[in-house]
Amino acid sequence: MLSEFRYCKLSKEWTLFAPERLLRPKDFSQNQNEAISQEEECPFDVHKEHLTPLGIAEIIQENAWQCRVVPNLYNALSIDVEVQSIKDGFFDKFSGFGAHEVLIETPLHDKQMVDYDYNNFSNYLTLLQQRTQNLQKDTRLAFLSIFKNQGQNAGASLSHAHTQLMAMPFLPKKMEEEIALKKSYFQEHKRALLDDLVYEERNFQKNIVCENSDFMVYCPYASKFAFEVKIASKKKLSSLVEFDAKDISALSDILHDFFQRFKRTLGLNVAFNMIFKNAPYRNYDANTKEYFRFSIEILPRIYKTAGFELDSEIYINVVLPEIAAQAYKESL
Ligand SMILES: [Zn+2]
């Protein structure tokens, strides 16, 4: 069965059904965070390129690829499907049109983001930017989700470090609401909402982890997850597509700084999700950067979320952000 989006008229939210995803390989055992025996071939390793679909983009240094992008073999969305809204009796559905790509961050099977140097981050961001710019050219795409699942608790099925890109023909409800809020805030105050939040965090002081000329890292005042971190752009940047070489360099620098703190504070094996908050493709123009500010969210998955969170969308967090920020700050 092909993937399809189905619409819930009650919650006004879409669900993506992707049966293909059931077939994907797993290298985590059922009960532990440890990888299963390494006998099975990892499709992301160097010299195993024949196990993935044909590459889309790569960065080569010293005659070897440093990171590469391939179509997701077990894709939830496909660019070859017709864009189609379908009536299914009383219900609404939408064809599984979109793009689903995997960025393999390193040729080394065991190297994790906490061990990346400045050059690793710079290659990684350069390639992410290339794909974000390239997919934007397809005017059928409204929204690109860029996310990393690290560790089984964060939803990863393969341990080899990778980031996923999923582009869709419409905006998720949450993003639509976020855009509306940011636009109306800008209309009222003539400032971006996140700029004001960063200003308030700066006055509050206690939640700031580190910063450089262009980016600030802080534990948000109302963090949902223990040791959650936000990396916010201090410059008027709304998306990776706007970054110049200096911006890429400043972000590589701050990611390198932060992940060293992350490793020293939480150890090597803490699962986390990392989410890139770019302005969506739909209605993107020269004014977007006035109200939408680029940021990255890093969400450690130390404690599990459960029924209360699913029902209320209110998260229970056992670590205050000022405690988390202090631990990160003092770790280097
Ligand atoms: Zn591997």
Side-chain angles (χ1 to χ4, degrees), residues 14 83-87 92-95:
W14 292 87
V83 190
Q84 213 178 8
S85 174
I86 310 150
K87 198 98 189 110
D92 288 332
K93 64 180 183 180
F94 205 98
S95 63

Side-chain angles (χ1 to χ4, degrees), residues 42 44-45 109 160:
C42 171
F44 296 165
D45 287 358
H109 185 78
H160 194 129

Side-chain angles (χ1 to χ4, degrees), residues 207-259:
N207 296 338
I208 299 175
V209 175
C210 55
E211 60 186 316
N212 63 15
S213 56
D214 298 347
F215 295 93
M216 185 168 110
V217 183
Y218 64 97
C219 299
Y221 183 75
S223 297
K224 288 184 163 76
F225 294 89
F227 292 93
E228 174 180 336
V229 147
K230 199 167 179 84
I231 302 177
S233 169
K234 296 201 266 183
K235 282 170 73 175
K236 272 191 185 174
L237 295 167
S238 74
S239 162
L240 276 176
V241 300
E242 297 157 7
F243 278 45
D244 63 20
K246 263 187 70 192
D247 301 326
I248 295 268
S249 168
L251 186 54
S252 306
D253 177 57
I254 206 78
L255 279 170
H256 179 232
D257 180 327
F258 171 70
F259 273 102

Side-chain angles (χ1 to χ4, degrees), residues 160 184 204 262 294:
H160 194 129
S184 79
F204 190 66
F262 185 88
F294 170 86

Side-chain angles (χ1 to χ4, degrees), residues 233-292:
S233 169
K234 296 201 266 183
K235 282 170 73 175
K236 272 191 185 174
L237 295 167
S238 74
S239 162
L240 276 176
V241 300
E242 297 157 7
F243 278 45
D244 63 20
K246 263 187 70 192
D247 301 326
I248 295 268
S249 168
L251 186 54
S252 306
D253 177 57
I254 206 78
L255 279 170
H256 179 232
D257 180 327
F258 171 70
F259 273 102
Q260 282 184 296
R261 296 174 190 276
F262 185 88
K263 183 180 172 180
R264 292 209 187 183
T265 308
L266 301 176
L268 258 179
N269 296 315
V270 166
F272 66 89
N273 296 109
M274 178 155 98
I275 299 165
F276 284 77
K277 305 279 282 183
N278 283 312
Y281 292 151
R282 178 175 294 164
N283 298 330
Y284 175 85
D285 61 26
N287 287 325
T288 306
K289 61 178 183 298
E290 298 298 331
Y291 64 85
F292 196 104

